[in-house]
Coordinates of all heavy atoms in Angstrom, one line a residue:
A335 N 8.8 27.2 26.0 CA 8.2 28.0 25.0 C 7.5 29.3 25.6 O 7.1 30.3 24.9 CB 7.2 27.2 24.2
G336 N 7.2 29.3 26.9 CA 6.5 30.3 27.5 C 5.0 30.3 27.3 O 4.4 29.1 27.2
R337 N 4.4 31.4 27.1 CA 3.0 31.4 27.0 C 2.5 31.9 25.6 O 1.3 32.0 25.3 CB 2.3 32.4 28.0 CG 2.6 31.9 29.5 CD 2.0 32.9 30.4 NE 2.2 32.5 31.8 CZ 1.8 33.2 32.9 NH1 1.1 34.3 32.7 NH2 2.0 32.7 34.1
D338 N 3.4 32.2 24.7 CA 3.0 32.7 23.4 C 2.8 31.5 22.4 O 3.7 30.9 22.0 CB 4.2 33.6 22.8 CG 3.8 34.3 21.6 OD1 2.6 34.1 21.1 OD2 4.7 35.1 21.0
E339 N 1.5 31.5 22.0 CA 1.1 30.4 21.1 C 1.7 30.6 19.7 O 1.7 29.7 18.9 CB -0.4 30.3 21.0 CG -1.1 29.8 22.3 CD -2.5 29.4 22.1 OE1 -3.0 29.6 20.9 OE2 -3.2 29.0 23.1
H340 N 2.3 31.8 19.4 CA 3.0 32.0 18.2 C 4.2 31.0 18.1 O 4.6 30.6 17.0 CB 3.5 33.4 18.0 CG 4.2 33.7 16.8 ND1 3.5 33.7 15.5 CD2 5.4 34.1 16.6 CE1 4.4 34.0 14.6 NE2 5.6 34.2 15.2
A341 N 4.7 30.6 19.3 CA 5.8 29.7 19.2 C 5.4 28.4 18.6 O 6.2 27.7 17.9 CB 6.4 29.5 20.6
V342 N 4.2 28.0 18.8 CA 3.7 26.7 18.2 C 3.7 26.9 16.6 O 4.1 25.9 16.0 CB 2.2 26.4 18.7 CG1 1.7 25.2 18.0 CG2 2.3 26.1 20.2
E343 N 3.2 28.0 16.2 CA 3.1 28.3 14.7 C 4.5 28.2 14.0 O 4.8 27.6 13.0 CB 2.4 29.5 14.4 CG 0.9 29.6 14.9 CD 0.3 31.0 14.7 OE1 1.0 31.8 14.0 OE2 -0.7 31.1 15.2
T344 N 5.4 28.8 14.7 CA 6.8 28.9 14.3 C 7.4 27.4 14.2 O 8.0 27.0 13.2 CB 7.7 29.8 15.1 OG1 7.2 31.1 15.2 CG2 9.1 29.9 14.6
A345 N 7.4 26.8 15.4 CA 7.8 25.3 15.4 C 7.1 24.5 14.4 O 7.8 23.6 13.8 CB 7.7 24.8 16.8
M346 N 5.8 24.7 14.2 CA 5.1 23.8 13.2 C 5.6 24.1 11.8 O 5.7 23.1 11.0 CB 3.6 24.1 13.4 CG 2.7 23.2 12.6 SD 2.8 21.4 13.1 CE 2.1 21.5 14.8
A347 N 5.8 25.4 11.5 CA 6.2 25.6 10.1 C 7.6 25.0 9.8 O 7.8 24.4 8.8 CB 6.4 27.2 9.9
R348 N 8.5 25.0 10.8 CA 9.8 24.4 10.7 C 9.7 22.8 10.6 O 10.4 22.2 9.9 CB 10.7 24.8 11.8 CG 11.1 26.3 11.8 CD 11.9 26.6 13.0 NE 12.2 28.1 13.0 CZ 12.7 28.8 14.0 NH1 12.8 28.2 15.2 NH2 13.1 30.0 13.8
L349 N 8.7 22.3 11.4 CA 8.5 20.8 11.4 C 8.0 20.4 10.0 O 8.5 19.5 9.4 CB 7.5 20.5 12.5 CG 6.9 19.0 12.4 CD1 8.1 18.0 12.6 CD2 5.8 18.8 13.5
R350 N 7.1 21.1 9.4 CA 6.6 20.8 8.1 C 7.7 20.9 7.0 O 7.7 20.0 6.2 CB 5.4 21.7 7.8 CG 4.1 21.3 8.4 CD 3.1 22.4 8.2 NE 1.7 21.9 8.5 CZ 0.7 22.7 8.8 NH1 0.8 24.0 8.9 NH2 -0.5 22.2 9.0
T351 N 8.5 21.9 7.2 CA 9.6 22.0 6.2 C 10.5 20.8 6.4 O 11.0 20.2 5.4 CB 10.4 23.3 6.5 OG1 9.5 24.4 6.2 CG2 11.6 23.4 5.5
A352 N 10.9 20.5 7.6 CA 11.8 19.3 7.8 C 11.2 18.0 7.2 O 11.9 17.2 6.6 CB 12.1 19.2 9.3
L353 N 10.0 17.9 7.4 CA 9.3 16.6 7.0 C 9.2 16.5 5.4 O 9.2 15.4 4.9 CB 7.9 16.4 7.5 CG 7.8 16.3 9.1 CD1 6.3 16.3 9.5 CD2 8.5 15.0 9.5
G354 N 9.2 17.7 4.8 CA 9.2 17.7 3.3 C 7.9 17.2 2.7 O 7.7 16.9 1.5
A355 N 6.9 17.0 3.5 CA 5.5 16.5 3.0 C 4.4 17.4 3.9 O 4.0 16.9 4.9 CB 5.3 15.1 3.3
P356 N 4.2 18.6 3.5 CA 3.3 19.4 4.4 C 1.8 18.8 4.7 O 1.2 19.2 5.7 CB 3.2 20.7 3.6 CG 3.6 20.4 2.2 CD 4.6 19.2 2.3
K357 N 1.4 17.9 3.9 CA 0.0 17.4 4.1 C 0.0 16.4 5.2 O -1.1 15.9 5.6 CB -0.4 16.8 2.8 CG -0.7 17.8 1.7 CD -1.4 17.1 0.5 CE -1.6 18.2 -0.6 NZ -2.3 17.6 -1.8
L358 N 1.2 16.0 5.7 CA 1.1 15.1 6.9 C 0.4 15.7 8.1 O -0.2 15.0 8.9 CB 2.5 14.8 7.3 CG 3.4 14.0 6.3 CD1 4.8 13.7 6.8 CD2 2.8 12.6 5.9
I359 N 0.5 17.0 8.3 CA 0.0 17.6 9.5 C -1.1 18.7 8.9 O -0.7 19.6 8.1 CB 1.0 18.4 10.3 CG1 2.1 17.4 10.8 CG2 0.4 19.0 11.5 CD1 3.3 18.1 11.5
Q360 N -2.3 18.6 9.4 CA -3.3 19.5 9.0 C -3.6 20.5 10.0 O -3.6 20.3 11.2 CB -4.7 18.7 8.7 CG -4.5 17.6 7.6 CD -5.8 16.8 7.5 OE1 -6.6 16.7 8.4 NE2 -6.0 16.3 6.3
T361 N -3.9 21.8 9.5 CA -4.3 22.8 10.3 C -5.8 22.8 10.5 O -6.5 22.8 9.5 CB -3.8 24.2 9.9 OG1 -2.4 24.2 9.7 CG2 -4.2 25.3 10.8

Side-chain angles (χ1 to χ4, degrees):
R337 298 182 179 180
D338 186 0
E339 290 189 1
H340 180 68
V342 175
E343 297 174 9
T344 301
M346 188 63 69
R348 292 173 179 167
L349 170 60
R350 283 170 162 160
T351 299
L353 294 175
K357 292 183 179 180
L358 295 178
I359 303 173
Q360 295 176 338
T361 301

